[in-house]
Amino acid sequence: MLTNRALGIIFANMHDNMVGEMTEIRSMASLPYGGRYRLIDFYLSSLVNAGVTKVGVIAKHNYQSLLDHLGSGRSWDLARKRAGLSIFPPYSTSQEGAYHGRIQALNNISRYIKLSSEKYVILMDCDHVCNLDFSDILNRHAESGADVTIVTRDVIPDEDMEKNLVTVRSDADGRVREMLLNRYEEGCSVSMDIFVLAKDKLTELVDNAVCRMQTMFERDILMTNLDTLNIRTYQFEGFVRRVYSTKSYYGANMALLDPKNMDALFPEDRPVYTKVRDQAPVRYGIDAKVKNSLIADGCVILGEVENCLLFRGVTIGKDCKVKNSIIMQDTIISERSELNYVITDKDVVINPDRSLMGHENYPLYIKKFSNI
Amino acid sequence: MKECIAMLLAGGQGSRLYALTQNIAKPAVPYGGKYRIIDFPLSNCINSGIDTVGVLTQYQPLELNDYIGDGRPWDLDRMGGGVHVLPPYQKQKGSDWYLGTANAIYQNINFIERYNPEYVLILSGDHIYKMDYSIMLEQHKRTEAACTIAVLEVPIDEASRFGIMNVNEDGSVYEFEEKPKVPKSNLASMGIYIFTWKKLREYLERESRRPETSHDFGKDVIPAMLNAGERMFTYRFDGYWKDVGTIDSLWEANMDLINPKVPFDLWEPHWKIYSRNPIKPPHYVDEKGVVQNSIVTEGCRIMGSIDFSVLFDSVTVEEGAVVTDSIIMPGAVIKSGAVVQYAIVAQDAVVENGVTIGERPENVEDKDKWGIAVIAPGATIGKNAVIKAKAMVYGDVKEGEVVC
């Protein structure tokens, strides 16, 4: 079995700037998703389900919510004596500040990587929602003889071009011959920002890049070495959504209202773990009306809910009408309020008789702790 | 050294729950959507500041042991203390099953002595309630009692079903009567005791040598202490408390969670009930699903209609299925066209298309024949089968069969 021979490294803050409002107070990794999860849960669970027991999480800023969420890693079975979860807050020496780019970040933890006994390293960001089979990815990486495997998806990006998007074009042999930033051409596949490589190869590449003062992994290591490195892709075929804006965040959540997508993201044999919150089950009142909605534990529903995602501990008051909305943890929506196309962040209070409306293309986002 | 440790009697068979306790001990019986009965005493302990609990198991302990595990869900995984499962064990000279509640504690004197406690709290795994044991302990210390017994006022016409404490004005007990025909008071023992450990130890040892004993707290230890003139006090509890030893009471206790008139709330943040949480996504109600007056847990998929019911995690209710006034335990599947009413469908049972389970009381003429219908864990009820009210189904039922 190859799987227990891989080390997982998660970049918690990559792409933070893309979902500005929501990541003002948190990292991309700790962005709430799907009623009870944070984006990092999907990566941690995928790793753990593939037998990976050593995971390093590189944080840069806004990491309070992330640290709070991860704790000792117990919820993912990563609180272990041997290996387990390590969190790396921004590491700076007296000479330089916090890291710039992936290469410096990896260099900062080079000792952690070099001292690991694992043969392979899986690098990943937290900007996708997916449930990956890393056993299969590692097996394919080993069989193909690739130096680097990039996990890709086969989705044509929508018209309002995604940001920080890397596309790759492979030749007939399956070897990557071209990598482009923010340009999609036919026949390309799209990087999911997940890379697999041998640990020794990674340290060699990082060492070589550092002494040339290079900072960007894709640009300085992959794009410039397409001729010498055997870079291949692993095309992921399952349910995947990338979060790169408020709108895509909204869409990625709403996609779960299709049970087919739920089945794909939450297969029986690869459960998704998250921090336990010990909430009571959901209580439905006498006039509750719920249609096509996903509801996490701890909610109390006395009003009307349609096409919504309710996170844990949400209260929907009497005679409310909440539609097409994402209501995050512990939000209270009081009597007779009406919401349509709204995203409320955590701990928002909507007072009675309020009416809030956004649009499918521009959901109205309400900040954490707002009182409306 | 601990001031107070708890001993939880979890060895009971729960024989009056029939099919539900064929393979599991009563404290492991599911309750309230995501709990087991034992979550209540364990959560009460940790919320009351008691971090050392011995759980005495005997009957079908496999699932209960698994559930308790290292005690992590209740924050009872401790370096000194925590939760310990204590099954009967073999000694150098012979071995005994636990012969009664008092004997179970007697056989674990060594466990208790390791913590050298001043006081021992005795609990059972049969009741649903939220209680701060630390207030009871304070009273026990203040009154310098040898034993404090938690009591609840019950309607006087029901008092003859309980163990009744007859007390003086200061709350001290002068008499204990087990199920008295003519009760003198309505203070029912809740089966929760705090003993000063030195005293309890003395009486347990004395009881172990008495040949005619039944090794029971209520029948033997409490009367013996009373007769000897020990200081015994009642501790009045006025919150929600329910014995869930029978099918009817288990069903009622679940329904109490839905009833807004019953003052029992699992949603209060300051006294959380902890449990081993299912690893499941949020529950989903589709376009056609209808849910009212109910409790629904994560992992459920509801395409049918639910009213006045408690759904545990990962239950599927298909389109066109109707569930009312029922309890559906984890993983059960109710297929389309099935009607489930006044029933308990246990974990992982499969109710096929067109099945009818249970009957509404108003539709049954002979009231003695009405009751909650129960489907055993893992049973498959074949298409169009009819399970009458009060039926106890222990295993699979064939297609079209009628079970009374």
Side-chain angles (χ1 to χ4, degrees), chain A residues 34-37 74 257 259 262-263 266 268 271-273 276-288 290-300 307, chain B residues 32-35 70 72-73 77 257 265-267 272-275 277-298 301 308:
Chain A
R36 65 194 292 265
Y37 303 97
R74 173 77 75 148
L257 296 182
M262 281 293 282
D263 290 340
F266 300 98
E268 285 288 321
V272 181
Y273 308 94
V276 170
R277 210 169 166 249
D278 290 293
Q279 295 252 316
V282 176
R283 180 156 57 95
Y284 285 83
I286 195 151
D287 295 316
V290 173
K291 294 238 172 296
N292 192 39
S293 293
L294 207 56
I295 296 160
D297 274 0
C299 293
V300 175
N307 304 331
Chain B
K34 70 189 295 191
Y35 307 96
D70 65 351
R72 169 94 192 159
D77 55 330
L257 290 174
D265 188 355
L266 296 174
W267 287 265
K272 263 192 186 177
I273 301 302
Y274 301 98
S275 68
N277 279 243
I279 312 253
K280 288 286 172 184
H283 77 260
Y284 176 68
V285 182
D286 83 344
E287 295 280 353
K288 298 199 175 93
V290 178
V291 190
Q292 285 186 330
N293 310 304
S294 292
I295 284 174
V296 182
T297 311
E298 288 176 332
R301 287 222 179 149
F308 289 105

Coordinates of all heavy atoms in Angstrom, one line a residue, chain A residues 34-37 74 257 259 262-263 266 268 271-273 276-288 290-300 307, chain B residues 32-35 70 72-73 77 257 265-267 272-275 277-298 301 308:
Chain A
G34 N -21.5 24.0 3.0 CA -22.3 22.8 3.0 C -23.1 22.6 4.3 O -23.4 21.4 4.6
G35 N -23.3 23.6 5.1 CA -24.2 23.5 6.3 C -23.4 23.1 7.5 O -23.9 23.5 8.6
R36 N -22.3 22.4 7.4 CA -21.6 22.1 8.7 C -20.1 22.0 8.5 O -19.4 21.5 9.4 CB -22.2 20.9 9.3 CG -22.0 19.6 8.6 CD -22.9 18.5 9.1 NE -22.5 18.1 10.4 CZ -21.7 17.0 10.7 NH1 -21.2 16.3 9.7 NH2 -21.5 16.7 11.9
Y37 N -19.6 22.3 7.3 CA -18.2 22.0 7.0 C -17.4 23.3 6.9 O -17.9 24.4 6.7 CB -18.0 21.2 5.8 CG -18.8 19.9 5.9 CD1 -20.1 19.7 5.4 CD2 -18.3 18.8 6.6 CE1 -20.8 18.5 5.5 CE2 -19.0 17.6 6.8 CZ -20.2 17.5 6.2 OH -20.9 16.3 6.4
R74 N -8.2 16.1 16.3 CA -8.9 14.9 16.7 C -10.1 14.5 15.8 O -10.3 13.3 15.6 CB -9.3 15.1 18.2 CG -10.2 14.0 18.7 CD -9.5 12.8 19.1 NE -8.8 13.0 20.4 CZ -8.5 12.0 21.2 NH1 -9.0 10.8 21.0 NH2 -7.8 12.3 22.3
L257 N -28.1 21.1 -3.3 CA -29.5 20.8 -3.2 C -29.9 19.7 -4.2 O -31.1 19.3 -4.2 CB -30.4 22.1 -3.4 CG -30.1 23.1 -2.3 CD1 -31.0 24.4 -2.5 CD2 -30.4 22.5 -0.9
P259 N -29.6 16.0 -4.9 CA -29.1 14.8 -4.2 C -28.0 14.1 -5.0 O -27.2 13.4 -4.3 CB -30.4 14.0 -4.1 CG -31.5 14.9 -4.2 CD -31.0 16.0 -5.1
M262 N -24.9 15.5 -3.8 CA -24.7 15.1 -2.4 C -24.1 13.7 -2.3 O -23.1 13.5 -1.6 CB -26.0 15.1 -1.6 CG -26.5 16.5 -1.1 SD -25.4 17.2 0.1 CE -25.9 16.3 1.6
D263 N -24.6 12.8 -3.1 CA -24.1 11.4 -3.1 C -22.7 11.4 -3.6 O -21.9 10.6 -3.1 CB -25.0 10.6 -4.1 CG -26.3 10.3 -3.5 OD1 -26.5 10.5 -2.3 OD2 -27.3 10.0 -4.3
F266 N -20.4 13.1 -0.8 CA -20.4 12.3 0.5 C -20.7 10.8 0.3 O -21.7 10.3 0.7 CB -21.5 12.9 1.4 CG -21.4 14.3 1.7 CD1 -22.1 15.3 1.1 CD2 -20.5 14.7 2.7 CE1 -21.9 16.7 1.4 CE2 -20.3 16.1 3.0 CZ -21.0 17.1 2.3
E268 N -20.5 6.9 0.8 CA -20.5 6.1 2.1 C -19.1 5.7 2.5 O -18.8 5.7 3.7 CB -21.3 4.8 1.9 CG -22.8 5.0 1.8 CD -23.4 5.3 3.2 OE1 -23.0 4.8 4.2 OE2 -24.3 6.2 3.2
P271 N -16.3 9.2 4.1 CA -17.0 10.2 4.9 C -16.2 11.5 5.0 O -15.0 11.5 5.0 CB -17.3 9.5 6.2 CG -16.4 8.4 6.3 CD -16.0 8.0 5.0
V272 N -16.9 12.6 5.3 CA -16.3 13.9 5.5 C -16.4 14.2 6.9 O -17.5 14.3 7.5 CB -16.9 14.9 4.6 CG1 -16.2 16.3 4.8 CG2 -16.8 14.5 3.1
Y273 N -15.3 14.4 7.6 CA -15.2 14.7 9.0 C -15.2 16.2 9.2 O -14.6 16.9 8.4 CB -14.0 14.0 9.6 CG -13.9 12.5 9.3 CD1 -13.1 12.1 8.3 CD2 -14.6 11.6 10.1 CE1 -13.0 10.8 7.9 CE2 -14.5 10.2 9.8 CZ -13.7 9.8 8.7 OH -13.6 8.5 8.4
V276 N -16.8 18.5 15.8 CA -18.1 18.1 16.4 C -18.6 19.3 17.2 O -17.8 20.0 17.9 CB -17.9 16.9 17.3 CG1 -19.1 16.7 18.1 CG2 -17.6 15.7 16.4
R277 N -19.8 19.6 17.2 CA -20.4 20.7 17.9 C -21.5 20.3 18.9 O -22.0 21.2 19.6 CB -20.9 21.7 16.9 CG -20.8 23.2 17.4 CD -21.1 24.2 16.3 NE -21.2 25.5 17.0 CZ -22.4 26.1 17.0 NH1 -23.5 25.6 16.5 NH2 -22.5 27.3 17.6
D278 N -21.8 19.1 18.9 CA -22.8 18.6 19.9 C -24.1 19.4 19.9 O -24.5 19.8 21.0 CB -22.2 18.5 21.3 CG -21.1 17.5 21.5 OD1 -21.5 16.3 21.4 OD2 -19.9 17.8 21.6
Q279 N -24.6 19.5 18.8 CA -25.9 20.2 18.7 C -27.0 19.2 18.7 O -26.9 18.1 18.3 CB -26.0 21.0 17.4 CG -24.9 22.1 17.3 CD -25.6 23.4 17.4 OE1 -26.5 23.7 16.8 NE2 -25.0 24.3 18.2
A280 N -28.1 19.7 19.3 CA -29.3 18.8 19.3 C -29.8 18.7 17.8 O -29.4 19.5 17.0 CB -30.4 19.4 20.2
P281 N -30.7 17.7 17.5 CA -31.2 17.6 16.2 C -32.1 18.8 15.9 O -32.3 19.7 16.7 CB -32.1 16.3 16.2 CG -31.6 15.6 17.4 CD -31.1 16.6 18.4
V282 N -32.6 18.8 14.6 CA -33.4 20.0 14.2 C -34.8 19.8 14.7 O -35.4 18.8 14.7 CB -33.4 20.1 12.7 CG1 -34.3 21.2 12.2 CG2 -32.0 20.3 12.1
R283 N -35.4 20.9 15.2 CA -36.7 20.9 15.7 C -37.6 21.7 14.7 O -37.3 22.9 14.4 CB -36.8 21.5 17.1 CG -38.2 21.5 17.6 CD -38.2 21.6 19.2 NE -37.5 22.7 19.6 CZ -38.0 23.9 20.0 NH1 -39.3 24.0 19.9 NH2 -37.3 24.9 20.4
Y284 N -38.6 21.0 14.2 CA -39.6 21.7 13.3 C -40.9 22.0 14.1 O -41.4 21.2 14.8 CB -40.0 20.7 12.2 CG -39.0 20.5 11.1 CD1 -37.9 19.6 11.3 CD2 -39.0 21.2 9.9 CE1 -37.0 19.4 10.3 CE2 -38.1 21.0 8.9 CZ -37.1 20.1 9.1 OH -36.1 19.9 8.2
G285 N -41.3 23.3 14.0 CA -42.5 23.7 14.7 C -43.8 23.4 13.9 O -43.7 22.8 12.8
I286 N -44.9 23.9 14.4 CA -46.2 23.5 13.9 C -46.5 24.0 12.5 O -47.1 23.4 11.7 CB -47.3 23.8 14.9 CG1 -48.6 23.1 14.6 CG2 -47.5 25.3 15.1 CD1 -49.4 22.9 15.9
D287 N -45.9 25.2 12.2 CA -46.2 25.8 10.9 C -45.0 25.8 10.0 O -44.9 26.5 9.1 CB -46.7 27.2 11.1 CG -48.0 27.3 11.8 OD1 -48.9 26.5 11.4 OD2 -48.2 28.1 12.7
A288 N -44.0 24.9 10.4 CA -42.8 24.9 9.6 C -43.1 24.4 8.1 O -43.9 23.5 8.0 CB -41.8 23.9 10.2
V290 N -40.8 23.4 4.8 CA -39.4 23.4 4.3 C -39.4 22.6 3.0 O -40.0 21.6 2.9 CB -38.5 22.7 5.3 CG1 -37.1 22.4 4.6 CG2 -38.3 23.5 6.5
K291 N -38.9 23.3 2.0 CA -38.8 22.6 0.6 C -37.4 22.7 0.1 O -36.7 23.8 0.2 CB -39.7 23.4 -0.4 CG -41.2 23.2 0.0 CD -42.0 22.6 -1.2 CE -43.4 22.3 -0.8 NZ -43.5 21.3 0.3
N292 N -36.9 21.6 -0.5 CA -35.6 21.6 -1.2 C -34.5 22.3 -0.4 O -33.9 23.2 -0.9 CB -35.8 22.2 -2.6 CG -34.6 21.9 -3.5 OD1 -34.1 20.8 -3.4 ND2 -34.2 22.9 -4.3
S293 N -34.3 21.9 0.8 CA -33.3 22.5 1.6 C -32.4 21.5 2.3 O -32.9 20.4 2.6 CB -34.0 23.5 2.6 OG -34.6 24.6 1.9
L294 N -31.2 22.0 2.7 CA -30.3 21.2 3.4 C -30.1 21.8 4.8 O -29.8 23.0 4.9 CB -29.0 21.2 2.7 CG -28.0 20.1 2.8 CD1 -28.7 18.8 2.4 CD2 -26.8 20.3 1.9
I295 N -30.3 21.0 5.8 CA -30.4 21.6 7.2 C -29.6 20.9 8.2 O -29.7 19.7 8.3 CB -31.9 21.6 7.6 CG1 -32.7 22.6 6.7 CG2 -32.0 22.1 9.1 CD1 -34.1 22.3 6.6
A296 N -28.7 21.6 8.8 CA -27.7 21.0 9.8 C -28.4 21.0 11.1 O -29.3 21.7 11.4 CB -26.4 21.8 9.8
D297 N -27.8 20.2 12.0 CA -28.3 20.0 13.4 C -28.3 21.3 14.2 O -27.6 22.2 13.9 CB -27.4 19.0 14.1 CG -27.9 17.6 13.9 OD1 -28.9 17.4 13.1 OD2 -27.3 16.6 14.4
G298 N -29.2 21.4 15.2 CA -29.2 22.5 16.1 C -30.1 23.6 15.6 O -30.3 24.6 16.3
C299 N -30.7 23.5 14.4 CA -31.6 24.5 13.9 C -33.0 24.4 14.5 O -33.4 23.3 14.9 CB -31.8 24.4 12.4 SG -30.3 24.8 11.5
V300 N -33.7 25.5 14.6 CA -35.1 25.5 15.1 C -35.9 26.2 14.0 O -35.6 27.3 13.7 CB -35.3 26.2 16.4 CG1 -36.7 26.3 16.8 CG2 -34.5 25.5 17.5
N307 N -35.3 26.3 -0.9 CA -34.0 26.3 -1.6 C -32.9 27.0 -0.8 O -32.3 27.9 -1.2 CB -34.2 27.1 -2.9 CG -35.2 26.6 -3.8 OD1 -35.5 25.4 -3.8 ND2 -35.9 27.4 -4.6
Chain B
G32 N -34.2 10.4 21.3 CA -34.2 11.8 21.0 C -33.4 12.3 19.8 O -32.9 13.4 19.7
G33 N -33.3 11.4 18.8 CA -32.7 11.8 17.5 C -31.2 11.5 17.4 O -30.8 11.0 16.4
K34 N -30.4 11.8 18.4 CA -29.0 11.5 18.2 C -28.4 11.1 19.5 O -27.2 11.1 19.7 CB -28.3 12.7 17.6 CG -28.1 13.9 18.5 CD -27.6 15.1 17.8 CE -26.2 14.9 17.3 NZ -25.6 16.2 16.9
Y35 N -29.2 10.7 20.5 CA -28.6 10.3 21.8 C -28.9 8.8 22.1 O -29.6 8.2 21.4 CB -29.3 11.2 22.9 CG -29.2 12.6 22.6 CD1 -30.2 13.3 22.0 CD2 -28.0 13.3 22.9 CE1 -30.1 14.6 21.7 CE2 -27.9 14.7 22.6 CZ -28.9 15.3 22.0 OH -28.8 16.6 21.6
D70 N -13.4 5.7 24.7 CA -12.5 6.4 25.6 C -13.1 7.5 26.4 O -12.5 8.3 27.1 CB -11.2 6.8 24.9 CG -11.5 7.9 23.9 OD1 -12.7 8.2 23.6 OD2 -10.5 8.5 23.3
R72 N -14.3 10.2 25.1 CA -14.0 11.5 24.5 C -15.3 12.4 24.3 O -15.3 13.6 24.5 CB -13.3 11.2 23.2 CG -13.2 12.4 22.3 CD -11.8 13.1 22.5 NE -11.8 14.4 21.9 CZ -11.1 15.4 22.2 NH1 -10.2 15.2 23.2 NH2 -11.1 16.5 21.5
P73 N -16.4 11.8 23.8 CA -17.5 12.7 23.4 C -18.1 13.4 24.7 O -18.7 14.5 24.5 CB -18.6 11.7 22.9 CG -17.8 10.6 22.4 CD -16.6 10.4 23.3
D77 N -12.3 11.7 28.7 CA -11.0 11.0 28.5 C -10.0 11.8 29.4 O -9.5 12.8 28.9 CB -10.6 10.9 27.1 CG -10.6 12.3 26.4 OD1 -11.4 13.2 26.8 OD2 -9.9 12.5 25.4
L257 N -40.2 15.7 23.6 CA -39.3 16.6 23.0 C -40.0 17.5 22.0 O -39.6 18.6 21.7 CB -38.1 15.9 22.3 CG -37.1 15.2 23.2 CD1 -36.2 14.4 22.4 CD2 -36.4 16.2 24.1
D265 N -35.8 20.8 27.3 CA -35.2 21.4 26.1 C -33.8 21.0 25.9 O -32.9 21.2 26.8 CB -35.3 22.9 26.4 CG -34.9 23.7 25.1 OD1 -34.5 23.1 24.1 OD2 -35.0 24.9 25.2
L266 N -33.6 20.3 24.8 CA -32.2 19.9 24.5 C -31.4 21.0 23.8 O -30.2 20.8 23.5 CB -32.2 18.7 23.6 CG -32.9 17.4 24.2 CD1 -33.0 16.3 23.1 CD2 -32.0 16.9 25.3
W267 N -32.0 22.1 23.5 CA -31.4 23.2 22.7 C -30.7 24.2 23.6 O -30.2 25.2 23.1 CB -32.4 23.8 21.8 CG -32.7 22.8 20.6 CD1 -32.1 22.8 19.4 CD2 -33.7 21.8 20.6 NE1 -32.6 21.8 18.6 CE2 -33.6 21.1 19.4 CE3 -34.5 21.3 21.6 CZ2 -34.4 20.0 19.0 CZ3 -35.3 20.1 21.3 CH2 -35.2 19.6 20.0
K272 N -25.5 21.2 27.8 CA -25.5 20.4 26.6 C -25.5 18.9 27.0 O -24.9 18.5 27.9 CB -24.3 20.7 25.8 CG -24.5 21.7 24.7 CD -23.3 21.7 23.7 CE -23.5 22.8 22.7 NZ -22.3 22.9 21.8
I273 N -26.3 18.2 26.2 CA -26.2 16.7 26.3 C -25.2 16.3 25.2 O -25.5 16.6 24.0 CB -27.6 16.1 26.1 CG1 -28.5 16.6 27.2 CG2 -27.4 14.5 26.2 CD1 -28.0 16.3 28.7
Y274 N -24.2 15.6 25.5 CA -23.2 15.2 24.6 C -23.4 13.8 24.1 O -24.1 13.0 24.8 CB -21.8 15.3 25.2 CG -21.4 16.6 25.7 CD1 -21.6 17.0 27.0 CD2 -21.0 17.6 24.8 CE1 -21.3 18.3 27.5 CE2 -20.7 18.9 25.2 CZ -20.8 19.2 26.6 OH -20.5 20.5 27.0
S275 N -23.0 13.5 22.9 CA -23.2 12.1 22.4 C -22.1 11.9 21.4 O -21.4 12.7 21.0 CB -24.6 12.0 21.7 OG -24.6 12.8 20.6
N277 N -21.4 11.7 18.0 CA -22.1 12.3 16.8 C -22.0 11.4 15.6 O -20.9 10.9 15.3 CB -21.6 13.7 16.5 CG -22.2 14.7 17.4 OD1 -22.9 15.6 17.0 ND2 -21.9 14.6 18.7
P278 N -23.1 11.3 14.8 CA -22.9 10.6 13.5 C -22.1 11.5 12.6 O -22.1 12.7 12.6 CB -24.4 10.5 13.0 CG -25.1 11.6 13.7 CD -24.4 11.8 15.1
I279 N -21.3 10.8 11.7 CA -20.5 11.6 10.7 C -21.3 11.6 9.5 O -21.2 10.8 8.6 CB -19.2 10.8 10.5 CG1 -18.6 10.4 11.8 CG2 -18.3 11.6 9.5 CD1 -17.4 11.1 12.3
K280 N -22.2 12.6 9.4 CA -23.2 12.7 8.3 C -23.4 14.1 7.9 O -23.3 15.0 8.7 CB -24.5 12.1 8.7 CG -24.5 10.6 8.9 CD -24.5 9.9 7.6 CE -24.3 8.4 7.7 NZ -24.1 7.7 6.4
P281 N -23.7 14.3 6.6 CA -24.0 15.7 6.1 C -25.3 16.1 6.7 O -26.1 15.3 7.2 CB -24.0 15.6 4.6 CG -24.2 14.1 4.3 CD -23.7 13.3 5.5
P282 N -25.7 17.4 6.5 CA -27.0 17.9 7.0 C -28.1 17.1 6.4 O -27.9 16.4 5.4 CB -27.0 19.3 6.5 CG -25.6 19.7 6.3 CD -24.9 18.5 5.9
H283 N -29.3 17.2 6.9 CA -30.4 16.4 6.4 C -31.0 17.2 5.2 O -30.9 18.4 5.2 CB -31.4 16.0 7.4 CG -32.3 17.1 7.9 ND1 -32.1 17.7 9.1 CD2 -33.5 17.6 7.4 CE1 -33.1 18.6 9.2 NE2 -33.9 18.6 8.2
Y284 N -31.7 16.5 4.3 CA -32.2 17.1 3.1 C -33.7 16.8 3.0 O -34.2 15.7 3.2 CB -31.5 16.5 1.9 CG -32.1 17.0 0.6 CD1 -31.9 18.4 0.2 CD2 -32.8 16.2 -0.3 CE1 -32.5 18.9 -1.0 CE2 -33.3 16.7 -1.5 CZ -33.1 18.0 -1.8 OH -33.6 18.5 -3.0
V285 N -34.5 17.9 2.8 CA -35.9 17.8 2.5 C -36.1 18.2 1.1 O -35.7 19.3 0.7 CB -36.7 18.7 3.5 CG1 -38.2 18.5 3.2 CG2 -36.4 18.4 4.9
D286 N -36.7 17.4 0.3 CA -36.8 17.7 -1.1 C -38.1 18.5 -1.4 O -38.8 18.9 -0.5 CB -36.7 16.5 -2.0 CG -38.0 15.7 -2.2 OD1 -38.9 16.0 -1.4 OD2 -38.1 14.9 -3.1
E287 N -38.4 18.7 -2.7 CA -39.5 19.5 -3.1 C -40.9 19.0 -2.5 O -41.8 19.8 -2.2 CB -39.7 19.5 -4.6 CG -38.5 20.2 -5.4 CD -38.6 21.7 -5.4 OE1 -39.6 22.2 -4.9 OE2 -37.6 22.3 -5.8
K288 N -41.0 17.7 -2.5 CA -42.3 17.1 -2.1 C -42.3 16.8 -0.6 O -43.4 16.4 -0.1 CB -42.5 15.8 -2.9 CG -42.6 16.1 -4.4 CD -43.3 14.9 -5.1 CE -43.5 15.2 -6.6 NZ -42.4 14.8 -7.4
G289 N -41.2 16.8 0.1 CA -41.2 16.5 1.5 C -42.0 17.5 2.4 O -42.0 18.7 2.1
V290 N -42.6 16.9 3.4 CA -43.4 17.8 4.3 C -43.0 17.4 5.7 O -43.1 16.3 6.1 CB -44.9 17.6 4.1 CG1 -45.7 18.5 5.1 CG2 -45.3 17.9 2.7
V291 N -42.5 18.4 6.5 CA -42.1 18.1 7.8 C -42.6 19.1 8.8 O -42.5 20.3 8.6 CB -40.5 18.1 8.0 CG1 -40.1 17.6 9.4 CG2 -39.8 17.4 6.9
Q292 N -43.3 18.6 9.8 CA -43.9 19.5 10.8 C -43.8 18.9 12.2 O -43.8 17.6 12.3 CB -45.3 19.9 10.5 CG -45.4 20.9 9.4 CD -46.8 21.4 9.1 OE1 -47.8 20.7 9.4 NE2 -47.0 22.6 8.6
N293 N -43.8 19.7 13.2 CA -43.8 19.2 14.6 C -42.9 18.0 14.8 O -43.3 17.0 15.5 CB -45.3 18.7 15.0 CG -46.3 19.7 14.6 OD1 -46.2 20.9 15.1 ND2 -47.2 19.4 13.8
S294 N -41.7 18.1 14.3 CA -40.9 16.9 14.4 C -39.4 17.2 14.7 O -39.1 18.4 14.7 CB -40.9 16.1 13.1 OG -42.2 15.6 12.9
I295 N -38.7 16.2 15.0 CA -37.3 16.3 15.2 C -36.5 15.5 14.2 O -36.9 14.3 14.0 CB -36.9 15.9 16.6 CG1 -37.4 17.0 17.6 CG2 -35.4 15.6 16.8 CD1 -37.2 16.6 19.0
V296 N -35.6 16.1 13.5 CA -34.9 15.4 12.4 C -33.4 15.6 12.6 O -32.9 16.7 12.9 CB -35.3 16.0 11.0 CG1 -34.6 15.2 9.9 CG2 -36.9 15.9 10.8
T297 N -32.6 14.5 12.3 CA -31.2 14.5 12.6 C -30.4 14.5 11.3 O -31.0 14.1 10.2 CB -30.9 13.3 13.5 OG1 -31.8 13.3 14.6 CG2 -29.5 13.4 14.1
E298 N -29.1 14.8 11.4 CA -28.3 14.8 10.2 C -28.3 13.5 9.4 O -28.5 12.4 10.0 CB -26.9 15.3 10.6 CG -26.9 16.8 10.9 CD -25.6 17.4 11.4 OE1 -24.8 16.6 12.0 OE2 -25.5 18.6 11.3
R301 N -32.9 11.8 4.7 CA -33.4 12.3 3.4 C -34.9 12.2 3.5 O -35.4 11.1 3.6 CB -32.9 11.5 2.3 CG -31.4 11.9 2.0 CD -31.1 12.0 0.5 NE -29.7 12.3 0.4 CZ -29.0 12.0 -0.6 NH1 -29.5 11.3 -1.6 NH2 -27.7 12.3 -0.6
F308 N -45.3 14.9 13.8 CA -45.2 14.5 15.2 C -44.3 13.2 15.3 O -44.7 12.2 15.9 CB -46.6 14.1 15.8 CG -47.4 15.4 16.1 CD1 -48.4 15.7 15.2 CD2 -47.1 16.2 17.1 CE1 -49.2 16.9 15.5 CE2 -47.8 17.4 17.4 CZ -48.8 17.7 16.5

